[in-house]
Amino acid sequence: MRHLKTLILFTCFMSICKLSFAQYDKDLDMFNHYSVKLENDTINYHTYAKRNIDSLTTILLYIQGSKAYSLYQVKREKEKSWIGTTVPIKLKNIPDNYLFVLISKKGIPFCTKLDEDISVSESYYKNQTLDYRTFQADQVIKDLTKRHKNHLKKIIALGHSEGSDVIAKLGTINNDVTILGIGLEVDTLNFLNL
């Protein structure tokens, strides 16, 4: 793998899979939503950035674990709102020059209502494999690098739980990935040192 620097970080997990609740943050509305349309498939991914994408230099791709949850769950009561999430990265901690990327699992929406069960389709179970999830991540990176040639210089891929396996395999098939982070408590990272 040319130009692939591998960074493997192991950190203790302290209930990373649990839903973490916080007051609703309007940054959630700053996500842009895209689809990679293939002959027999559609891969949905979501990007977040604090600045215009043309000024960004780094992709930060996060791959979640195996649960059939949406990436974010929102609850609104009267004038209050809360977010639940399985993504252990606080949006406010993402550096200004990073494009944060999340991939929805097959048949699972980006955001759902908190405390509401979602129906899990048969296609989710058929596609919840290492090969398919690695394929998804590879296709998203290819789509991003095609859309934004020349200015995205670094691609960091992080994974948690089953997402760690996806990231490890992704590092063997995608030569554009420059840093792999496997099995981490992501909010404890100092992104500026990556």
Side-chain angles (χ1 to χ4, degrees):
M1 293 172 278
R2 64 168 204 246
H3 307 298
L4 177 64
K5 295 190 297 183
T6 303
L7 173 67
I8 301 180
L9 304 170
F10 292 97
T11 307
C12 273
F13 288 102
M14 307 278 301
S15 306
I16 197 169
C17 289
K18 74 177 186 339
L19 292 177
S20 57
F21 300 99
Q23 286 226 326
Y24 178 70
D25 187 348
K26 62 185 171 194
D27 285 346
L28 193 58
D29 294 331
M30 291 176 58
F31 273 92
N32 290 307
H33 308 281
Y34 301 94
S35 296
V36 177
K37 296 191 186 283
L38 305 168
E39 187 176 329
N40 295 316
D41 195 11
T42 299
I43 300 167
N44 296 312
Y45 70 95
H46 321 280
T47 65
Y48 170 88
K50 295 177 183 174
R51 299 189 319 206
N52 181 295
I53 196 160
D54 292 332
S55 67
L56 306 179
T57 59
T58 303
I59 292 173
L60 173 61
L61 170 66
Y62 174 75
I63 302 292
Q64 64 179 323
S66 61
K67 302 282 186 193
Y69 292 127
S70 60
L71 294 161
Y72 292 95
Q73 306 82 39
V74 176
K75 180 177 182 177
R76 292 182 173 92
E77 285 181 355
K78 298 181 183 175
E79 295 176 16
K80 293 183 181 179
S81 299
W82 295 268
I83 291 178
T85 183
T86 57
V87 179
I89 299 174
K90 293 177 183 161
L91 298 177
K92 69 178 183 178
N93 292 346
I94 296 171
D96 290 348
N97 63 324
Y98 278 45
L99 178 65
F100 183 48
V101 181
L102 299 169
I103 302 171
S104 286
K105 292 184 181 174
K106 189 77 168 168
I108 305 290
F110 170 75
C111 188
T112 56
K113 290 183 180 177
L114 189 61
D115 300 327
E116 184 176 283
D117 290 333
I118 59 172
S119 62
V120 180
S121 67
E122 188 177 328
S123 70
Y124 166 83
Y125 293 107
K126 286 182 178 177
N127 292 288
Q128 189 62 12
T129 66
L130 177 61
D131 287 341
Y132 180 74
R133 293 191 69 201
T134 304
F135 171 77
Q136 276 187 310
D138 184 53
Q139 291 299 309
V140 167
I141 289 172
K142 287 177 180 174
D143 190 59
L144 284 166
T145 55
K146 185 171 75 175
R147 286 176 187 254
H148 308 289
K149 290 179 184 172
N150 304 323
H151 67 89
L152 293 169
K153 308 217 181 316
K154 189 188 308 184
I155 299 174
I156 302 168
L158 306 177
H160 163 256
S161 189
E162 184 181 273
S164 294
D165 296 338
V166 174
I167 294 305
K169 185 166 183 176
L170 178 66
T172 67
I173 65 168
N174 188 305
N175 291 331
D176 292 329
V177 177
T178 51
I179 298 174
L180 301 175
I182 300 171
L184 13 132
E185 178 68 52
V186 182
D187 264 347
T188 63
L189 291 179
N190 178 351
F191 287 111
L192 299 177
N193 290 330
L194 289 178

